[in-house]
Amino acid sequence: MTTETFEFQVEARQLLQLMIHSVYSNKDVFLRELVSNASDALDKLRLAALRDDVPGADVSDLHIELEVDKDARTLTVRDNGIGMSYDEVTRLIGTIANSGTAKFLQELREAQDGAGADGLIGQFGVGFYSAFMVADEVTLVTRHAGESEGTRWTSKGEGTYTLERLDDVPQGTTVTLHLKPADAENQLHDYTSTWKIKEIVKRYSDFITWPVRLLPEPGQDGDGAEAREAETLNSMKALWARPRDEVSDDEYHELYKHIGHDWRDPLETIRLQAEGTFEYQALLFVPSHAPHDLFTQGYQRGVQLYVKRVFIMDDCEELLPPYLRFVKGVVDAQDLSLNVSREILQQDRHIRMIQRRLTKKVLSTVKDLRTSAPDRYATFWREFGAVLKEGLVTDSDNRDAILAACSFASTHDAAEPTSLKDYVERMKDGQDDIYYMTGESRAALENSPHMEAFRAKGVEVLLLTDAVDEVWVDAVGEYEGKTLRSVAKGEIDLSGTEDDESDAEKEKQGEEYAGLLGWMTEHLGEDVKEVRLSSRLTVSPACVVSDAGELTPALENMYRAMGQEVPSAKRILELNPEHQLVKSLNRAWTDRRDRTELTETAELLHALAVLAEGGRPKEPARFVQLMADRLERTL
């Protein structure tokens, strides 16, 4: 048969040069591309056979074979799939039949020195060319099923290729790579090494439908010894593609341990399948324990992305929002191109659609756990409640669904958290707001002076102790028309929840203390915005509160820790007019002309209020000195 020589299309030649002089960090992807092409050829043959389009085609043992020859330094990828005709080889291998070629080449050049370069290989259907990253010469021999004549294509990637018609060629396609020498510096591995071949197939092609078999190396079988069988390298067990009743919990758990790098069983397994114009399958896992680095900046989040069972990337962040970063799993899409770049994933409407569906499914599963499996829900909330609440700030579209999945500690029950829905159902007659308090621990909140009136009147308060609680309560604002109100901010009016003192009595009290309040506001003006009587204290003499629209000290500190400068806001000092200390202070202020000592008493009262909420006095040394002097006088 005659051999003809052809020149590559200009774009194909440019692409070949980029591949040959590649600086990609991950050259292993060449084998993924070739195995994926072989798998597609087998799929096409099976479909054609079902339609009787390829009379005489052999479909009895469809498979992919890998063969290495260390002496000749070759790697062969062989399939018995649909194969290609002479014209198809010319059209598919000799040119790049794609209108986006120029754009692809431009992006490839721009990405060569960046981490995104690996993700562009195969993006425009040019995965075959990745073989030239690792090979000096590539030979392709193929015969289309149902035809008698085969074709051999050969190229060194130097601008030309040869084509030759052949007889007696087996059905399918055989690609033989004459490998470059191993080069550790350029991350070019020895691809005649069987362990390296096994590692690549296990990582990228473990779940494809067809068996990938590694043939024994030449010379491994001794004279007279029984021939060694080919070794199947992939499991072919895509658990997400099998019906639920065919997969055991143990199999799901083993898959989770493999992809989640966890030795414990998952807390919950979530299956999802979408059919129609865009098909995909998802198998997600909620871990039973939070990883130690869940809140660190470098935490690697995202689920594994497959396209038609071919592994694409390990940590596809675009498939789930950051507040669900603890979820592990697999998404297998049918209509994405292989090796899409992260930039394309961010813009792909199908990816956004998958994210919306997965997010809703995870949130509804967590919500259902509350009633169907309270113990497992309690474990989930203990491990991941804080990170889930981040979504209340960042994902307004799903805010209602997130709130429905959330629970919060409250004064109603020391052991069982509550949902906002249950809180609203228990609200007292006349109560218009949902009350909460933020702080470092439940014990600190329960003992806070701000809680005294609520405890005395039996008004339930949510006890929020995670850092994110300082932020989401302002972002959410209300629930079912009920305002979320901090017990430590603004003025609190609980008169509607129970019979209380009359307005006339309050007015009389205000007149009685007006002088003291004005004097204290003047003398403590550097530290407080206002001194006023309190409706939230029943036991403590004083407390400090923030104005309704201002940041709490904890939130101010949080912003400063993130490098954001925020001005310190003066707070309000509230006095308990029924406390003996405040009554005595008012009498002393009325009776005395020399109020020097009273100024120190006012300072101490303010400092004690700051300490009571877990803060520290502005001048600790002066506070200690004043306190020591007062204690000395009592002895």
Side-chain angles (χ1 to χ4, degrees), residues 361-573:
K361 182 65 175 178
V362 172
L363 293 176
S364 65
T365 299
V366 172
K367 176 189 173 185
D368 292 343
L369 277 180
R370 186 204 303 276
T371 52
S372 63
D375 290 343
R376 283 193 294 159
Y377 175 81
T379 299
F380 168 84
W381 192 251
R382 182 182 68 247
E383 298 293 327
F384 303 110
V387 66
L388 184 68
K389 286 186 286 187
E390 292 175 10
L392 295 172
V393 182
T394 60
D395 188 358
S396 57
D397 291 340
N398 288 302
R399 187 170 287 163
D400 290 343
I402 299 170
L403 280 175
C406 288
S407 62
F408 310 96
S410 101
T411 54
H412 175 71
D413 191 315
E416 292 295 325
T418 183
S419 65
L420 289 184
K421 182 175 182 293
D422 292 340
Y423 179 103
V424 170
E425 290 175 353
R426 291 192 298 266
M427 284 174 60
K428 287 180 169 290
D429 292 338
Q431 180 182 341
D432 297 323
D433 301 322
I434 298 172
Y435 293 107
Y436 70 88
M437 186 173 182
T438 58
E440 292 185 358
S441 68
R442 182 185 183 105
L445 295 180
E446 287 180 328
N447 293 318
S448 169
H450 302 95
M451 297 286 292
E452 291 174 359
F454 295 88
R455 185 164 47 244
K457 296 188 176 184
V459 177
E460 183 176 355
V461 178
L462 301 178
L463 306 175
L464 309 179
T465 56
D466 292 320
V468 69
D469 293 328
E470 296 279 357
V471 185
W472 76 258
V473 287
D474 287 332
V476 172
E478 64 169 37
Y479 175 77
E480 292 188 356
K482 307 291 185 182
T483 302
L484 293 169
R485 184 177 295 279
S486 171
V487 303
K489 292 175 72 173
E491 294 196 55
I492 297 295
D493 182 10
L494 296 178
S495 58
T497 61
E498 192 175 296
D499 290 339
D500 215 329
E501 58 187 2
S502 66
D503 291 339
E505 290 174 331
K506 286 183 179 180
E507 187 176 344
K508 180 181 177 182
Q509 212 170 45
E511 292 173 355
E512 181 183 348
Y513 282 88
L516 174 66
L517 298 178
W519 175 79
M520 288 184 68
T521 299
E522 179 183 350
H523 281 75
L524 297 175
E526 288 187 8
D527 301 314
V528 301
K529 177 190 294 187
E530 178 188 358
V531 181
R532 67 189 183 200
L533 296 182
S534 176
S535 60
R536 71 187 93 212
L537 296 174
T538 60
V539 178
S540 302
C543 69
V544 284
V545 299
S546 299
D547 228 345
E550 292 180 348
L551 302 179
T552 64
L555 196 53
E556 286 181 6
N557 293 335
M558 191 186 305
Y559 283 128
R560 291 191 185 102
M562 293 188 294
Q564 300 182 32
E565 278 303 319
V566 290
S568 295
K570 290 183 180 181
R571 305 184 71 201
I572 298 167
L573 177 64

Side-chain angles (χ1 to χ4, degrees), residues 8-250:
F8 280 107
Q9 182 192 40
V10 175
E11 290 88 350
R13 191 159 59 247
Q14 293 174 348
L15 177 61
L16 278 169
Q17 289 305 306
L18 285 170
M19 291 297 178
I20 292 167
H21 303 290
S22 170
V23 292
Y24 301 130
S25 60
N26 184 14
K27 295 178 172 62
D28 294 353
V29 295
F30 85 92
L31 187 55
R32 178 189 71 183
E33 296 295 329
L34 296 181
V35 170
S36 176
N37 289 346
S39 177
D40 287 344
L42 295 169
D43 287 337
K44 289 175 182 176
L45 178 61
R46 180 176 60 177
L47 182 60
L50 290 172
R51 295 173 175 171
D52 290 327
D53 291 341
V54 283
D58 180 9
V59 293
S60 59
D61 180 25
L62 299 181
H63 63 276
I64 300 166
E65 286 181 351
L66 305 179
E67 186 175 6
V68 297
D69 186 333
K70 291 195 173 186
D71 294 335
R73 284 200 58 75
T74 61
L75 169 63
T76 300
V77 181
R78 183 182 299 114
D79 69 75
N80 57 348
I82 192 74
M84 290 180 284
S85 66
Y86 184 93
D87 290 340
E88 286 174 329
V89 171
T90 304
R91 187 174 73 252
L92 297 174
I93 306 298
T95 62
I96 307 176
N98 191 296
S99 60
T101 299
K103 179 184 177 185
F104 169 72
L105 289 169
Q106 180 184 350
E107 291 188 14
L108 199 57
R109 291 191 193 98
E110 292 173 354
Q112 273 198 91
D113 297 322
D118 299 334
L120 290 169
I121 302 171
Q123 180 182 317
F124 290 83
V126 293
F128 172 78
Y129 289 91
S130 64
F132 286 97
M133 292 194 298
V134 300
D136 290 320
E137 181 178 338
V138 177
T139 300
L140 177 145
V141 177
T142 183
R143 177 173 68 83
H144 194 283
E147 295 186 1
S148 57
E149 187 181 68
T151 306
R152 176 160 53 210
W153 178 98
T154 305
S155 178
K156 293 185 178 180
E158 295 175 348
T160 63
Y161 61 92
T162 62
L163 280 178
E164 182 182 359
R165 300 179 190 271
L166 300 175
D167 294 325
D168 300 324
V169 173
Q171 166 189 301
T173 301
T174 299
V175 181
T176 301
L177 282 62
H178 300 267
L179 297 165
K180 297 177 182 179
D183 184 352
E185 185 177 338
N186 290 317
Q187 296 184 322
L188 183 61
H189 302 289
D190 182 5
Y191 295 107
T192 64
S193 168
T194 54
W195 73 263
K196 184 62 180 176
I197 298 299
K198 291 177 182 179
E199 177 198 23
I200 296 172
V201 172
K202 191 70 178 174
R203 175 169 175 76
Y204 291 108
S205 308
D206 191 46
F207 300 119
I208 65 171
T209 309
W210 310 105
V212 180
R213 298 170 183 165
L214 179 63
L215 300 182
E217 294 179 44
Q220 280 192 343
D221 304 321
D223 293 338
E226 186 178 326
R228 291 180 57 191
E229 292 185 358
E231 179 184 357
T232 300
L233 304 183
N234 60 323
S235 69
M236 297 173 284
K237 290 184 177 180
L239 300 185
W240 55 87
R242 293 162 59 186
R244 175 65 182 91
D245 55 7
E246 292 182 11
V247 185
S248 68
D249 287 342
D250 288 341

Side-chain angles (χ1 to χ4, degrees), residues 204-339:
Y204 291 108
S205 308
D206 191 46
F207 300 119
I208 65 171
T209 309
W210 310 105
V212 180
R213 298 170 183 165
L214 179 63
L215 300 182
E217 294 179 44
Q220 280 192 343
D221 304 321
D223 293 338
E226 186 178 326
R228 291 180 57 191
E229 292 185 358
E231 179 184 357
T232 300
L233 304 183
N234 60 323
S235 69
M236 297 173 284
K237 290 184 177 180
L239 300 185
W240 55 87
R242 293 162 59 186
R244 175 65 182 91
D245 55 7
E246 292 182 11
V247 185
S248 68
D249 287 342
D250 288 341
E251 287 179 295
Y252 281 138
H253 294 173
E254 285 305 312
L255 176 62
Y256 163 72
K257 292 173 184 177
H258 171 67
I259 63 179
H261 307 292
D262 192 356
W263 55 271
R264 293 164 290 220
D265 290 340
L267 183 68
E268 186 68 13
T269 302
I270 303 171
R271 286 177 54 94
L272 187 63
Q273 182 165 337
E275 298 178 345
T277 54
F278 183 71
E279 296 183 6
Y280 63 90
Q281 295 158 319
L283 182 59
L284 305 179
F285 301 98
V286 177
S288 56
H289 290 77
H292 69 279
D293 56 347
L294 183 62
F295 290 96
T296 60
Q297 190 170 4
Y299 179 72
Q300 187 175 3
R301 68 180 181 88
V303 298
Q304 293 185 347
L305 176 63
Y306 284 74
V307 173
K308 297 177 183 177
R309 300 195 188 183
V310 177
F311 177 78
I312 301 302
M313 64 180 66
D314 209 14
D315 51 347
C316 185
E317 298 180 354
E318 290 75 20
L319 290 172
L320 283 172
Y323 63 89
L324 295 179
R325 59 185 175 272
F326 52 86
V327 175
K328 302 296 181 183
V330 172
V331 173
D332 188 358
Q334 301 302 307
D335 300 310
L336 289 176
S337 58
L338 284 180
N339 244 344

